[in-house]
Every structure is written in structure tokens, then in C-alpha cells.
Amino acid sequence: MADNIKVTIDNITVEVPMGTTILEAARKIGGDVAPPTMCYYSKLKGSGGKCRTCLVEVSKGSEKDPRPMPKLVASCRTGVMDGMEVKSMTSDKVIDARKGVTEFLLLNHPLDCPVCDQAGECDLQNLGYDHGNAGTRYEYDRRTFEPEDIGPHIQLHMNRCIMCFRCVFTADQLTNTREHGILDRGDHARISTCISKALDNDFIGNVIDVCPVGALTDKTFRFKNRVWFTKPVDAHRNCSNPKCCGEVRLWMRGEEVFRVTARKDEWGEVANASNGETGWICNECRFEKKETKDWVIEGPTKVDRHSVIAQGHYAGKVGTAGQPVLIDKVIGKQPQLTLDIHTVSDVNKPSYHLDQIEGPAHSDDFK
């Protein structure tokens, strides 16, 4: 405890060990104080510092040097100092910068949400909801890439890629061989394989879990269902692969298992398994075990109230059955655009008595 230092983020003080980054300190506080991330992944060495969505304002450097930092810094790459004061959600500069970064990320991103399997659990969707604009100022053709087949299990949509490099780090650090990487430079840069090789490794399916957008998706689940129509269930099995934890999340509808993924923590990263290691799973568990008899079901997954997956799953208090419940928030947050149809249509005015109208009510009755 003697080596701990104090840092204040959005007027909340927390003690962290020396060497902790601002982002890690903010995650200890949690909630909206923690900056959004698109490239940083705590389970992958070397990740972060590329997307710039986690920018924060350091208003006080430290107790020894209280001068503020001259510009916004990437919280995933900046270490904390004793007495440092940071502004995240309380800084207008930070909010404006995140809007700009979000706009840049969406410049070339296609409007594939209606057909994308990542919809409903997409980090870019969440970022766009929180910091995006209602319209676009971009007037030019979007950057596009030719479709490419990278194997029997993983579908690559390079048009959706935001170049976060997470999949490259995953393949480099988790698998024995890496067949894909970054090719070309500048606006021609792309994720691809060397000489049209297939991504073939026992753990390569984990690149699907780390991808923050729909650039890498599961071919065995493609176009089969929407994630918010499925029921997530925690399960496990004794996997023959010693490196696989065997602890997964089944996405079911009825008795049918539509897909299998690793379990995620509150930050959308692969959670730690019961043995304390990162809960990576092998291709056999992910792609081949699609029946309930293959698994030991533990129970329903606790879904975050902020997730669209929780849509329609509201638990009322005891004794409130049959009573009207007012839901004043969407996915745990205030809606961006609202329209109170009852107020707009004037149907709630005391002078209107719907029970005295002969026949069904229509526009002629409300002028």
C-alpha cells in the first residue's frame, strides 16, 4: 500500500499502484468515467495508442509539477503520477475530441448494421451512439476492398475494419503461427493473409472475440439470428486441449445453440477463467460443439443493463405484476432523440373525452 499513489479523475480520487495508466485507474472507478476504447485490450501486450478514442485532459500533472499537460493525451498510454488530476467526461475538450475521432472512424465504415452479425454488441455502435453526429459531412466515395476468403470458419469484411490491430496481436501472442497481418500503407492498409493463406490454428477463432466491429465474424453463425433474439447461457466442458479453459458462453434460442463465444467482462474483453488465466477457447469448442449435450449448463448469463441484449428483459418488483411500468431510459441511458406521441397528438388534454367520441378516434377529432 505504501507504493500506491493518488489520482483524481472527474473529481473522484482513487489509489493505484505506480506504473498504472490513466485508463486502468479510470476503470477502477468505472461507469462513464472510464474512457471508451477501440484498440486497447488489457489481455494483449502492445495494444493501444492507435484509435485515440480514450483521449483525456490532464489538468494537473502531479503534486511536484502541478502544470497541466499542454494537449490531450491517450489514457491507455499515459501513466499516472501522484496527485494527478484528470478530466474525462467533465472536459468539453475531451467530448469534442471524441466526437471528432468517432467521425473519422465512421468516414469509411459502411452502413451495414442492418445485415452485420456484430450489430447489438458492436463497440463502434456504442461509440457512435454516445459521441457520434446525427448526420455526416463526408461527400466522397468510401474506401472499399475486394472480398477475400481467409478460411472455413472466419469471415473477413475489410470494409468494416478500423485498423485496431487487435486480431494481429491475438494471432501473434496466442497462436504458434500467424498467417495474417497489416499489408500496404496509408489509406491502402488492410488486414490480409500472406499469399492467400487460410487462418488455420487451434485458437485463431479468438480473433472474432477481440474484434470491436464486424470485420471478423463467425461463418457458422452468419445471418442465422440477431444477437438480441438469442439467450446467452454460461456453460463449460472438459476440453481435450490443455490450453483451452473450456468455459464459454452459449447463445441459444430454445434448445438450439446458434454460436459459442468466450465469456466477456464488463469492458467487453475476454474474461478470466476459473483458473485465473485469460479465458481463451479453442476452435473445437467454438465451431464444432453446437449441441447442448456437449456442455454442462451453469445458468443464464448476467447481462449488463446497458446492453441491447437486455432489451425486453425487465424485472419488476414483487407485487407489481400487471401494473404499468414507465421505462424512461434506453439501454440504461437517456435517449438521444425523443418524441412523446401523447403530448404531440394532444390526446392527453383534459378537454378531450375519448369515451364520448362516436366510433374510433381519428385526426378530425384532434384539431
Side-chain angles (χ1 to χ4, degrees):
M1 295 297 291
D3 294 332
N4 284 1
I5 58 178
K6 291 184 178 181
V7 57
T8 302
I9 306 176
D10 285 348
N11 302 317
I12 301 175
T13 302
V14 63
E15 290 191 11
V16 295
M18 285 288 295
T20 303
T21 64
I22 296 176
L23 177 60
E24 292 169 342
R27 286 187 172 183
K28 285 184 176 295
I29 299 173
D32 291 336
V33 174
T37 59
M38 297 297 294
C39 67
Y40 174 78
Y41 210 84
S42 63
K43 310 299 192 302
L44 299 175
K45 297 178 181 178
S47 65
K50 300 172 183 64
C51 69
R52 304 328 245 190
T53 58
C54 67
L55 293 175
V56 294
E57 178 184 355
V58 179
S59 56
K60 179 182 177 182
S62 65
E63 289 292 349
K64 295 182 179 179
D65 187 2
R67 293 177 299 175
M69 292 189 178
K71 60 181 180 180
L72 303 183
V73 298
S75 60
C76 65
R77 290 287 190 173
T78 307
V80 298
M81 301 291 288
D82 191 23
M84 176 181 281
E85 295 182 5
V86 181
K87 294 181 179 180
S88 179
M89 290 298 293
T90 57
S91 171
D92 293 335
K93 293 180 181 179
V94 171
I95 299 300
D96 187 59
R98 288 178 186 170
K99 287 183 178 179
V101 171
T102 303
E103 188 173 19
F104 274 119
L105 290 176
L106 292 172
L107 283 182
N108 290 298
H109 198 81
L111 299 177
D112 282 351
C113 296
V115 298
C116 180
D117 288 323
Q118 192 81 358
E121 52 184 2
C122 176
D123 293 340
L124 190 57
Q125 277 186 331
N126 297 334
L127 187 69
Y129 184 86
D130 290 333
H131 303 287
N133 296 323
T136 179
R137 299 182 292 171
Y138 196 63
E139 300 176 354
Y140 306 98
D141 293 335
R142 297 177 186 269
R143 180 189 61 194
T144 57
F145 297 88
E146 292 295 326
E148 184 177 356
D149 186 9
I150 60 172
H153 298 304
I154 302 173
Q155 179 70 41
L156 171 64
H157 291 274
M158 190 56 221
N159 293 340
R160 302 171 183 167
C161 181
I162 61 171
M163 303 300 289
C164 69
F165 297 6
R166 283 182 181 179
C167 63
V168 180
F169 286 123
T170 302
D172 201 30
Q173 299 172 22
L174 191 60
T175 66
N176 296 324
T177 58
R178 176 167 64 86
E179 295 88 1
H180 78 291
I182 309 298
L183 274 62
D184 299 327
R185 296 181 178 181
D187 63 343
H188 294 284
R190 59 193 172 93
I191 299 289
S192 184
T193 59
C194 180
I195 318 178
S196 300
K197 287 186 177 181
L199 299 187
D200 187 14
N201 189 282
D202 287 344
F203 284 85
I204 197 61
N206 289 283
V207 299
I208 299 173
D209 287 331
V210 302
C211 183
V213 293
L216 295 168
T217 53
D218 185 351
K219 279 187 176 180
T220 64
F221 177 67
R222 196 178 183 211
F223 302 144
K224 286 190 175 180
N225 217 310
R226 283 301 198 179
V227 65
W228 53 85
F229 291 142
T230 59
K231 179 181 179 181
V233 176
D234 289 342
H236 68 271
R237 64 183 289 266
N238 293 325
C239 184
S240 58
N241 193 318
K243 295 182 179 180
C244 176
C245 69
E247 299 174 6
V248 303
R249 183 162 296 164
L250 307 180
W251 298 83
M252 306 175 62
R253 193 167 185 181
E255 295 297 323
E256 184 177 0
V257 178
F258 277 87
R259 69 168 179 165
V260 181
T261 66
R263 301 183 188 181
K264 300 289 186 71
D265 60 17
E266 59 179 318
W267 309 115
E269 300 180 2
V270 175
N272 290 331
S274 57
N275 59 5
E277 301 293 331
T278 305
W280 306 112
I281 61 175
C282 65
N283 285 2
E284 180 184 1
C285 290
R286 183 185 301 273
F287 299 121
E288 299 177 13
K289 302 300 180 181
K290 293 293 187 71
E291 297 184 16
T292 54
K293 66 180 181 181
D294 298 325
W295 301 95
V296 177
I297 306 297
E298 299 175 10
T301 300
K302 294 182 179 179
V303 181
D304 183 8
R305 175 64 180 84
H306 292 73
S307 172
V308 71
I309 302 171
Q311 175 179 309
H313 300 282
Y314 302 105
K317 297 180 180 179
V318 177
T320 60
Q323 298 181 13
V325 179
L326 176 63
I327 302 174
D328 59 345
K329 295 183 179 180
V330 180
I331 60 170
K333 303 178 182 179
Q334 295 293 347
Q336 298 279 3
L337 302 173
T338 58
L339 175 64
D340 188 348
I341 189 63
H342 296 87
T343 303
V344 173
S345 63
D346 291 337
V347 296
N348 287 335
K349 281 191 174 182
S351 58
Y352 293 136
H353 300 279
L354 300 181
D355 57 331
Q356 296 180 7
I357 298 177
E358 296 181 1
H362 49 75
S363 59
D364 295 338
D365 299 317
F366 303 98
K367 295 183 180 180

